[in-house]
Amino acid sequence: MKFDVVTIFPAMVESALKEGVVGRARQAGLLDIVVHNLRDFTTDRHHVVDDVAFGGGPGMVLKPEPLFAAAEAIAERRGAADAVLLMSPAGTPFTQAAARRLATLQHIVILCGRYEGIDERVREHVATEEVSIGDYVLSGGELPALVVVDAVSRLIAGVVGDEQSVEADSFTRGLLDHPHYTRPAEFRGHRVPDVLLSGHHGEIRKWRQREALRRTAARRPELLAEAGLAAEEREFLESEGFNPATEGEGFSPAGKKGSR
Ligand code: ADE
């Protein structure tokens, strides 16, 4: 899979993409990622990428010419992209479902916004979608671009060593992950749940499934509506004092272990 990231901070983006799972997948040739410096697509002596806003007001706006030129150069050098994402707090919320959809594509260009804004013509004529990673404002699209590259890459076969670990992740089934423990079995008087030491794989699977359900009901009840619960899972939550039929509307049972 190919990614092209366009940014005014290429060193920041490149350094993050050298590390960890993504860095290894690049070395293995599973991911072909090129980071482009937006300033390389300017034509003036000072490599200016921004200008004042028409109509006045504070802050600078990213100019259209370098972003158009970058998108065109990438299409020429690397082939037409399947999607051109503009990272922006005004975009569509990025979710695991969005990551799964993007992971089916072969070539994604990501434009990092900066400063107070970006010329609207880039949104209209270069970007194919605008993506937000959450309801908070960052100083630029670099961290959001890294979030998207990471979340999409780990869904590509071979990128994460253990495919089962991707399957078991929070959100793959629409539930939060169950708790994890490693050695020692007792640490400062805190013991690992006995069932995990029992060697009974059926019991362990059941415990993990129930903990995932309990945790989701307590912390993110709105996710239950979309999780496609089996009858026995509903019965379990009811027996625990949760009401799966109304959890989706934010019902939180009084006196329940809300912090779990
Ligand atoms: N740029 C600034 N804030 C952002 C956000 N929350 N998501 C995507 N891009 C952004």
Side-chain angles (χ1 to χ4, degrees):
M1 177 158 193
K2 281 193 288 193
F3 288 98
D4 288 86
V5 182
V6 181
T7 167
I8 59 164
F9 294 126
M12 170 187 176
V13 173
E14 187 58 61
S15 77
L17 295 176
K18 280 197 177 82
E19 306 286 342
V21 164
V22 169
R24 236 172 293 130
R26 290 175 83 185
Q27 293 218 316
L30 293 168
L31 295 174
D32 170 5
I33 308 181
V34 179
V35 181
H36 305 266
N37 187 346
L38 183 62
R39 291 190 198 281
D40 292 344
F41 301 96
T42 55
T43 51
D44 63 304
R45 205 148 56 87
H46 298 291
H47 303 292
V48 174
V49 294
D50 59 354
D51 204 344
V52 295
F54 274 125
M60 303 292 276
V61 177
L62 281 182
K63 292 161 63 61
E65 302 94 316
L67 284 157
F68 273 72
E72 284 158 9
I74 290 166
E76 206 162 289
R77 292 178 206 162
R78 306 254 297 155
D82 301 309
V84 180
L85 314 185
L86 172 61
M87 304 314 298
S88 145
T92 305
F94 185 62
T95 58
Q96 190 64 28
R100 277 195 288 268
R101 174 177 61 83
L102 293 173
T104 67
L105 306 180
Q106 253 125 64
H107 184 192
I108 298 175
V109 173
I110 307 183
L111 309 176
C112 302
R114 266 280 143 182
Y115 302 115
E116 278 67 20
I118 187 158
D119 190 281
E120 189 66 17
R121 290 163 289 191
V122 174
R123 280 203 166 88
E124 289 172 352
H125 305 294
V126 181
T128 59
E129 44 195 296
E130 202 170 335
V131 179
S132 166
I133 62 158
D135 289 342
Y136 39 81
V137 179
L138 301 164
S139 41
E142 283 73 18
L143 293 170
L146 290 168
V147 166
V148 169
V149 170
D150 192 283
V152 173
S153 294
R154 56 199 305 295
L155 299 178
I156 294 164
V159 169
V160 174
D162 185 353
E163 300 292 322
Q164 281 187 348
S165 121
V166 175
E167 300 271 304
D169 278 339
S170 280
F171 292 111
T172 297
R173 217 209 112 180
L175 295 178
L176 302 186
D177 205 358
H178 57 76
H180 297 258
Y181 293 90
T182 185
R183 285 175 282 199
E186 181 169 342
F187 175 65
R188 297 190 178 178
H190 307 295
R191 283 188 52 75
V192 170
D194 283 335
V195 59
L196 298 180
L197 311 177
S198 69
H200 292 138
H201 296 293
E203 287 300 307
I204 292 170
R205 204 173 313 117
K206 191 159 122 193
W207 179 86
R208 286 177 169 166
Q209 183 200 14
R210 290 183 162 194
E211 289 301 312
L213 287 166
R214 214 198 302 264
R215 206 171 238 198
T216 308
R219 296 182 184 180
R220 299 290 307 278
E222 78 281 8
L223 297 177
L224 293 175
E226 298 292 313
L229 297 185
E232 64 190 47
E233 293 178 316
R234 291 179 179 282
E235 281 159 25
F236 167 70
L237 285 175
E238 274 157 29
S239 76
E240 290 282 302
F242 294 103
N243 184 346
T246 53
E247 293 296 343
E249 291 140 38
F251 170 82
S252 187
K256 270 288 153 193
K257 314 138 188 143
S259 63
R260 292 186 57 134

